[in-house]
């Protein structure tokens, strides 16, 4: 991996300030329940405006090919349209960070800053949640899936805390790479067990376990065998495979007892039934549209990144998302970035079970995975 050692240029500095600000804003105002203590909408808006301004200035300060200007412009326009329609910012930030990405973001020193910023604010929210300063969400897990109460510890939902935890495991894995020790692997596994016991976000726990297991394999003599698999061209299409698997299950799911579909639905905590409901009753639109309430639940819930983007953000958005993953996958395999590829694959799996796999603060590899300018 070739990374330049010279001092930061202005466009790189602006990008990094925006990147760190986004991590703080997401954890404090996006992922936590701190907004239930006081109105955070104005703070969030001001922070988002500053971050967007920094990224726009960073983009204009960097030299681009004409083709890159054109493609980036289309992606940004689509991100703005999605934001205007939905008032949700993750997709807009995904395309902004993607088109302004800098190769220096791959340096461990720079990523460590982001990691420890996230750790500080995650612990801050956890402590306030444990002390009941910030309200927590409590929900019961179905007896079929392991009875017990799930707590969010100050976050908006146990699954959100799980997604943040997974992002931290992934970021630390990328920072440490081949230097990760067996003690660190054991510690990550221990924290995953604790997360499962007290928060029980099954998707994040399952994918974190897969990621940690692959880190362990990368330290074994069988590393070369795994690396040869990781360098396969098929890896580039991980998210496209995830999309078509989600599409197939959403279209063909049939409820009922003692069927393969019902067993899979139970395994995925009812996600297949929910995706089928939305896919059946919603129009397929090129542009964003609102998600209706799920049956009589009174809430909108669709825990699958691929179907969520397709139905809620629109066909154009899911096409853009899949193109972004192709570009990232291409560069990760081109430069034999084994640890980046592992994270890339893990989040493609995570996207089958949660709707946050396209969030820049969660799936960080979609930001720093691209080394070459879009052409």
């Amino acid at each position: 991996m070739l990374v330049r050692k010279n001092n930061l240029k202005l466009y790189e500095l602006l990008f990094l300030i925006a990147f760190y600000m986004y991590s703080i804003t997401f954890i404090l105002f996006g992922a936590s329940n701190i907004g239930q203590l006081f109105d955070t909408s104005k703070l969030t808006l001001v922070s988002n405006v500053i971050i967007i301004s920094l990224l726009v200035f960073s983009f204009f300060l960097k030299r681009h090919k004409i083709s890159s200007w054109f493609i980036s412009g289309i992606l940004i326009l689509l991100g703005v349209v999605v934001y205007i329609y939905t008032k949700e910012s993750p997709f807009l930030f995904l395309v902004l960070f993607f088109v302004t990405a800098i190769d220096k973001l791959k340096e461990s020193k720079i990523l460590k800053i982001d990691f420890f910023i996230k750790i500080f604010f995650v612990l801050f929210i956890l402590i306030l949640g444990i002390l009941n300063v910030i309200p927590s969400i409590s929900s019961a897990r179905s007896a079929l899936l392991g009875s017990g109460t799930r707590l969010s510890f100050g976050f908006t939902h146990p699954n959100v805390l799980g997604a943040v935890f997974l992002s931290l495991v992934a970021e630390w894995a990328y920072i440490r790479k081949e230097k990760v020790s067996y003690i660190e692997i054991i510690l990550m596994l221990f924290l995953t067990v604790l997360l499962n016991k007290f928060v029980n976000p099954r998707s994040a726990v399952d994918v974190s376990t897969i990621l940690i297991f692959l880190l362990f394999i990368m330290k074994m003599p069988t590393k070369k065998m795994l690396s040869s698999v990781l360098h396969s061209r098929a890896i580039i299409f991980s998210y496209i495979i995830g999309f078509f698997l989600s599409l197939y299950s959403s279209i063909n799911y049939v409820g009922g007892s003692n069927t393969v579909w019902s067993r899979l639905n139970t395994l995925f905590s009812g996600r297949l039934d929910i995706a089928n409901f939305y896919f059946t009753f919603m129009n397929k639109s090129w542009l964003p549209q609102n998600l209706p309430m799920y049956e009589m639940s009174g809430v909108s819930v669709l825990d699958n990144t691929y179907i969520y983007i397709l139905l809620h953000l629109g066909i154009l958005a899911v096409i853009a998302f899949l193109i972004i993953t192709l570009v990232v996958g291409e560069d990760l395999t081109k430069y034999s970035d084994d640890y980046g590829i592992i994270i890339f694959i893990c989040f493609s799996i995570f996207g089958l079970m949660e709707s946050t796999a396209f969030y820049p603060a969660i799936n960080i590899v979609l930001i720093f995975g691209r080394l070459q300018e879009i052409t």
Side-chain angles (χ1 to χ4, degrees):
M1 185 65 57
L2 297 176
V3 180
R4 291 177 287 108
K5 300 295 184 180
N6 54 299
N7 294 329
L8 287 173
K9 294 183 170 120
L10 181 57
Y11 72 85
E12 293 173 324
L13 179 61
L14 294 177
F15 176 91
L16 290 176
I17 293 172
F19 178 64
Y20 297 144
M21 278 191 66
Y22 178 72
S23 293
I24 296 170
T25 302
F26 174 77
I27 292 172
L28 283 182
F29 306 136
S32 83
N33 275 329
I34 202 168
Q36 294 190 26
L37 299 182
F38 60 93
D39 185 10
T40 60
S41 59
K42 291 183 179 178
L43 284 173
T44 304
L45 178 61
V46 170
S47 180
N48 286 347
V49 168
I50 293 173
I51 295 168
I52 291 170
S53 299
L54 290 170
L55 291 174
V56 169
F57 280 122
S58 175
F59 181 79
F60 279 104
L61 287 172
K62 186 179 178 181
R63 290 184 178 181
H64 299 281
K65 298 177 182 178
I66 294 176
S67 57
S68 181
W69 277 97
F70 179 72
I71 297 172
S72 298
I74 291 176
L75 287 174
I76 293 171
L77 178 61
L78 179 59
V80 170
V81 170
V82 168
Y83 178 74
I84 291 173
Y85 269 79
T86 65
K87 300 297 185 285
E88 299 170 13
S89 62
F91 186 79
L92 173 60
F93 280 117
L94 171 65
V95 297
L96 282 172
F97 279 116
F98 178 72
V99 301
T100 57
I102 59 172
D103 57 357
K104 275 188 173 290
L105 189 56
K106 281 177 169 277
E107 292 186 14
S108 60
K109 289 182 180 179
I110 288 175
L111 279 178
K112 276 183 182 177
I113 295 173
D114 180 67
F115 178 82
F116 286 112
I117 285 174
K118 286 178 179 175
I119 286 290
F120 175 83
F121 284 101
V122 166
L123 290 176
F124 175 70
I125 298 300
L126 285 175
I127 292 170
L128 293 183
I130 292 170
L131 296 175
N132 291 321
V133 175
I134 297 178
S136 297
I137 302 298
S138 175
S139 61
R141 175 68 80 182
S142 166
L144 291 173
L145 301 170
S147 59
T149 302
R150 311 169 68 206
L151 294 173
S152 68
F153 294 101
F155 286 82
T156 56
H157 193 277
N159 289 349
V160 173
L161 176 53
V164 171
F165 175 84
L166 173 61
S167 73
L168 289 171
V169 171
E171 193 165 6
W172 187 249
Y174 195 81
I175 289 169
R176 295 290 290 157
K177 295 185 177 179
E178 65 278 353
K179 295 179 182 177
V180 68
S181 66
Y182 289 112
I183 293 176
E184 289 171 81
I185 290 174
I186 292 171
L187 177 60
M188 285 188 284
L189 192 58
F190 174 71
L191 291 174
T192 303
V193 171
L194 286 182
L195 182 77
N196 184 55
K197 180 175 178 58
F198 294 105
V199 184
N200 197 219
R202 296 183 68 230
S203 305
V205 168
D206 291 346
V207 178
S208 294
T209 303
I210 292 171
L211 201 163
I212 294 167
F213 174 73
L214 292 175
L215 288 179
F216 175 75
I217 295 298
M218 290 296 286
K219 294 192 68 65
M220 303 295 288
T222 53
K223 172 184 175 180
K224 290 184 179 180
M225 185 183 300
L226 177 59
S227 292
S228 64
V229 174
L230 295 177
H231 299 162
S232 167
R233 294 286 298 175
I235 296 300
I236 297 172
F237 303 100
S238 298
Y239 289 78
I240 292 180
I241 293 170
F243 171 73
F244 281 107
L245 284 175
S246 300
L247 200 62
Y248 178 82
S249 62
S250 298
I251 295 172
N252 294 285
Y253 170 79
V254 178
S257 59
N258 296 321
T259 65
V260 174
W261 283 119
S262 65
R263 292 169 191 166
L264 286 172
N265 189 51
T266 300
L267 180 65
F268 285 94
S269 306
R271 284 170 170 81
L272 299 186
D273 181 65
I274 294 172
N276 174 259
F277 167 82
Y278 280 108
F279 198 88
T280 301
F281 292 102
M282 286 186 70
N283 294 323
K284 286 50 175 194
S285 171
W286 290 98
L287 296 175
Q289 57 183 334
N290 292 327
L291 282 178
M293 300 296 179
Y294 172 60
E295 294 184 339
M296 302 300 291
S297 67
V299 295
S300 298
V301 55
L302 180 48
D303 290 328
N304 180 300
T305 293
Y306 308 100
I307 303 302
Y308 177 87
I309 297 177
L310 173 66
L311 296 180
H312 183 40
L313 306 187
I315 297 172
L316 291 176
V318 80
I319 291 173
F321 171 69
L322 293 176
I323 289 173
I324 288 172
T325 64
L326 281 175
V327 174
V328 171
E330 174 70 29
D331 279 343
L332 290 173
T333 54
K334 179 180 178 180
Y335 289 91
S336 302
D337 189 347
D338 289 351
Y339 292 88
I341 294 169
I342 287 172
I343 297 168
F344 182 77
I345 296 169
C346 285
F347 274 105
S348 72
I349 298 171
F350 186 66
L352 296 170
M353 300 175 281
E354 297 294 340
S355 62
T356 53
F358 72 101
Y359 283 33
I362 302 298
N363 192 352
I364 188 174
V365 76
L366 294 184
I367 301 177
F368 68 73
R370 181 178 64 85
L371 288 179
Q372 301 299 314
E373 184 177 21
I374 308 170
T375 55

